[in-house]
Amino acid sequence: MGKIDLSGLKIGMENTLSIIVSNENSAEAVGYKGMPVLGTPHLVGVMETACIFVHEFLPENYLTVGVANSMKHLSASPIGATIVTKAQLTAIDGRKLTYYIEAHDSVDKIAEGTHTRFIVNSRDFFATLERKKHKLGLT
């Protein structure tokens, strides 16, 4: 891949994303009966989603894909709680982007961690996906 213009990306850029804990994103929704709290899979998803704000700063036909997560779920949050997630871009190493992410409810910090994304050409990404779908008999 050739060099792409990443001048729109700056270390320290931040994004905030909020959700309300519901039955749909609870631990019960992923099979953990008797746990009416925010499920870890959903929390990780929200934390990762908070990182894709950089897409608006990428050149046309580029996007990011998640490749690694290191998250700690520190505290339970009940149904009805508002969760605020803040992602900060902490490193740019070529096409590799690293973020620090925290999530809080109105009482305390409920999660923290790092997330890594890679910048890829969207045309190449979707062409590879189509080839895989064909090999799997899904087209």
Side-chain angles (χ1 to χ4, degrees):
M1 278 190 180
K3 187 154 175 68
I4 61 171
D5 179 13
L6 301 180
S7 62
L9 298 179
K10 305 288 184 231
I11 291 175
M13 297 172 86
E14 293 182 346
N15 185 47
T16 302
L17 180 62
S18 299
I19 65 160
I20 297 175
V21 181
S22 67
N23 291 325
E24 291 76 25
N25 59 25
S26 70
E28 288 183 330
V30 292
Y32 198 157
K33 300 299 177 203
M35 292 296 287
V37 298
L38 178 61
T40 302
H42 295 286
L43 176 59
V44 170
V46 170
M47 293 173 79
E48 181 171 341
T49 301
C51 297
I52 63 173
F53 72 95
V54 298
H55 288 191
E56 67 182 281
F57 302 100
L58 296 176
E60 186 176 355
N61 299 316
Y62 285 87
L63 53 81
T64 64
V65 293
V67 296
N69 283 304
S70 177
M71 308 291 184
K72 295 178 186 176
H73 195 164
L74 305 170
S75 179
S77 297
I79 304 293
T82 298
I83 307 301
V84 178
T85 303
K86 182 163 78 171
Q88 181 181 58
L89 183 60
T90 58
I92 304 168
D93 182 9
R95 293 176 188 243
K96 178 182 170 185
L97 306 178
T98 304
Y99 302 82
Y100 174 74
I101 313 162
E102 286 189 357
H104 295 257
D105 59 22
S106 60
V107 177
D108 57 9
K109 179 168 44 172
I110 64 161
E112 65 183 359
T114 59
H115 179 56
T116 304
R117 302 187 70 77
F118 269 87
I119 300 168
V120 298
N121 181 296
S122 61
R123 291 179 182 143
D124 295 342
F125 177 84
F126 288 111
T128 300
L129 182 62
E130 285 302 313
R131 285 191 296 276
K132 182 177 266 189
K133 286 169 57 177
H134 181 73
K135 286 180 181 179
L136 292 169
L138 301 174
T139 56

